[in-house]
Amino acid sequence: MPDGDVRTRTLRIATRLFADRGFDGTSLQDVADEVGVRKPSLLYHFASKDALRAAVYEQMLGHWNVALPRILRAATSGEDRFDAVLGEMIRFFREDSDRAKLILREVLDRPREMAAVMRLHMRPWIESVAAYIRKGQETGELHGDADPAAYVVNVVTFLISAIAVQQLLAPMPDEQVMREVLRMARAALFVPTPAPRARRSSR
Amino acid sequence: MPDGDVRTRTLRIATRLFADRGFDGTSLQDVADEVGVRKPSLLYHFASKDALRAAVYEQMLGHWNVALPRILRAATSGEDRFDAVLGEMIRFFREDSDRAKLILREVLDRPREMAAVMRLHMRPWIESVAAYIRKGQETGELHGDADPAAYVVNVVTFLISAIAVQQLLAPMPDEQVMREVLRMARAALFVPTPAPRARRSSR
DNA sequence: CCTACCGATCGGTAGG
DNA sequence: CCTACCGATCGGTAGG
């Protein structure tokens, strides 16, 4: 009935359970039950519960590293770079809604380790986006009082939190909330052009 | 040595542990050890571990209900209402840095229950702030394409996430990040005045 | 607020 | 990938 081999299924199911209930709130028995094997069988594929956690996060990091080139390509493809980059990021986190929850939980549960991962895997492109912002500030296209690095970090935090939290809380439709997230990020960065040639519609 | 009676100390310590390790990651034994009593003694004061969790969150809600009048007063006190309201909110969440983490964890762990609490305790003033925004939109002072309700929800989400996450991740000073959070929230709402009479310094 | 204790479940191992 | 089993710890109770 279920797709894939045990290792693949285990990763998929553990991802969902860790995202929904947290690492400490999920037992190996819970995972084994859904995978459809006995608990010791999981420990044949993953040396320990902690190894399973690590594998879940490494898989997500792998997906991120696949998505990253697309994001960077979007960042250098002429105009509308801003919307393109944020669009790709939103696509990544929405492709699997567990990703945002998983990251948020990891940040709360293992802040030191997560800070190290962030420095390693986010820093490079945070720096490059910040550099792009600084250029835009010199031409007056972007708000001069923005703090480029802090802005990028905040937008990423904002995006992940909004996605992780939205289906959970929203009495409001997701689309409405996400569209406003984008509008806010844009308005916080771009100086409104005094003579706009073609004002972007918000959809 | 430790201050307060057992009940008070238990609440304080449980708040810190739940914020740092999560509910499932904290055992009654952990709490008892730090309080300095035996585990069954905790269960004399709180009927169950879940009752302790409820008490921790109710205490925080109580603090919120104390802070709320100040926030609402700030919202109606003439000019600079925006900075005053956000300033009060930041003050609330920074007064005890566990609060933001605790809320974020509760949203992840018990989304349905948290959504109900939010509706009950946040909705009223979210609505009133949204109404204030709508008025500002009519006078052209505020961005007309902002979605007032979604904007308020997003700013609150943003604020809580940024505070919960900041000390954890930041290779950057907290102040720098929080100042940019405020700048972003402001720039996303206010239309820059064409002839500014007194441009607010960012500090 | 304590000692003594409970059944259930935890992550994990032995051995096949 | 299974059966059988382990010590440790879990939240919680009895009884004082």
Side-chain angles (χ1 to χ4, degrees):
Chain A
M1 183 80 81
D3 291 340
D5 59 18
V6 169
R7 195 170 194 284
T8 307
R9 270 183 293 146
T10 300
L11 279 173
R12 190 174 60 238
I13 287 162
T15 297
R16 201 186 72 242
L17 292 179
F18 288 168
D20 283 344
R21 312 178 189 173
F23 181 73
D24 290 317
T26 306
S27 70
L28 288 177
Q29 192 64 62
D30 292 337
V31 179
D33 287 347
E34 290 209 32
V35 173
V37 296
R38 303 291 177 175
K39 192 177 57 172
S41 305
L42 293 188
L43 293 163
Y44 166 77
H45 293 284
F46 303 92
S48 66
K49 190 189 179 187
D50 197 69
L52 175 56
R53 184 197 51 73
V56 163
Y57 281 95
E58 270 157 30
Q59 186 185 243
M60 189 175 58
L61 212 61
H63 287 144
W64 171 255
N65 285 332
V66 168
L68 192 53
R70 292 185 58 172
I71 297 176
L72 292 176
R73 216 176 307 133
T76 54
S77 68
E79 55 186 24
D80 285 338
R81 299 188 229 188
F82 183 84
D83 287 18
V85 170
L86 258 72
E88 286 296 334
M89 289 206 52
I90 289 175
R91 181 203 304 265
F92 175 77
F93 284 109
R94 285 193 150 180
E95 192 179 323
D96 183 346
S97 71
D98 293 331
R99 285 171 186 165
K101 291 183 219 166
L102 225 35
I103 289 179
L104 223 49
R105 285 194 183 275
E106 189 78 345
V107 170
L108 289 170
D109 288 344
R110 311 174 74 242
R112 287 166 177 272
E113 294 83 345
M114 199 58 176
V117 172
M118 285 295 222
R119 266 193 290 278
L120 202 64
H121 292 266
M122 304 286 284
R123 217 38 170 312
W125 80 264
I126 285 180
E127 274 312 314
S128 78
V129 176
Y132 158 72
I133 291 174
R134 268 186 289 271
K135 254 189 289 179
Q137 286 178 317
E138 282 165 22
T139 69
E141 187 193 0
L142 304 182
H143 284 298
D145 54 352
D147 179 322
Y151 172 85
V152 177
V153 169
N154 283 347
V155 166
V156 173
T157 303
F158 190 13
L159 214 68
I160 292 176
S161 307
I163 292 173
V165 155
Q166 67 178 0
Q167 313 109 305
L168 310 181
L169 286 187
M172 235 172 284
D174 293 1
E175 272 311 316
Q176 187 184 349
V177 175
M178 285 310 298
R179 205 182 306 152
E180 181 65 10
V181 168
L182 278 178
R183 190 202 63 79
M184 290 168 68
R186 215 185 285 129
L189 189 58
F190 288 91
V191 174
T193 50
R197 36 186 217 191
R199 186 77 164 65
R200 286 188 57 78
S201 159
S202 61
R203 38 172 173 160
Chain B
M1 183 80 84
D3 291 339
D5 59 18
V6 170
R7 192 168 197 284
T8 306
R9 270 184 292 146
T10 301
L11 279 174
R12 190 174 60 237
I13 287 162
T15 296
R16 199 186 74 240
L17 292 178
F18 288 168
D20 282 345
R21 312 178 189 172
F23 180 74
D24 291 317
T26 305
S27 69
L28 288 177
Q29 191 65 62
D30 293 338
V31 179
D33 288 348
E34 290 209 31
V35 173
V37 295
R38 303 292 177 175
K39 192 177 58 170
S41 305
L42 294 187
L43 294 164
Y44 166 77
H45 294 283
F46 303 93
S48 66
K49 191 189 179 186
D50 197 69
L52 176 57
R53 184 196 51 72
V56 164
Y57 281 96
E58 271 156 30
Q59 186 185 244
M60 189 174 59
L61 210 62
H63 287 142
W64 171 254
N65 285 332
V66 169
L68 192 53
R70 293 185 59 171
I71 297 176
L72 292 178
R73 214 177 307 134
T76 55
S77 67
E79 54 187 23
D80 285 339
R81 299 188 228 189
F82 183 84
D83 287 19
V85 169
L86 257 74
E88 286 296 333
M89 290 207 50
I90 290 175
R91 180 203 304 264
F92 175 77
F93 284 109
R94 285 193 150 179
E95 193 181 320
D96 182 347
S97 70
D98 293 331
R99 286 172 185 164
K101 291 184 219 166
L102 224 36
I103 289 180
L104 223 50
R105 285 195 184 276
E106 189 77 344
V107 169
L108 289 170
D109 287 344
R110 311 173 74 242
R112 287 165 177 272
E113 294 83 346
M114 199 58 177
V117 173
M118 285 295 220
R119 266 192 291 279
L120 202 64
H121 292 266
M122 303 288 282
R123 217 38 170 312
W125 80 265
I126 285 180
E127 274 312 313
S128 78
V129 175
Y132 159 71
I133 291 175
R134 270 186 289 271
K135 255 189 289 179
Q137 286 178 317
E138 282 165 22
T139 69
E141 187 194 0
L142 304 182
H143 285 298
D145 55 350
D147 179 321
Y151 172 84
V152 177
V153 169
N154 282 348
V155 166
V156 173
T157 302
F158 190 14
L159 214 69
I160 292 176
S161 306
I163 292 173
V165 154
Q166 68 179 0
Q167 312 112 305
L168 309 181
L169 286 186
M172 235 174 281
D174 293 1
E175 271 311 315
Q176 186 184 349
V177 175
M178 284 310 298
R179 204 182 306 152
E180 181 65 9
V181 168
L182 277 178
R183 190 203 63 79
M184 290 169 68
R186 214 184 286 128
L189 188 58
F190 288 91
V191 174
T193 50
R197 37 184 218 190
R199 185 81 165 65
R200 286 189 57 79
S201 158
S202 61
R203 39 172 170 154

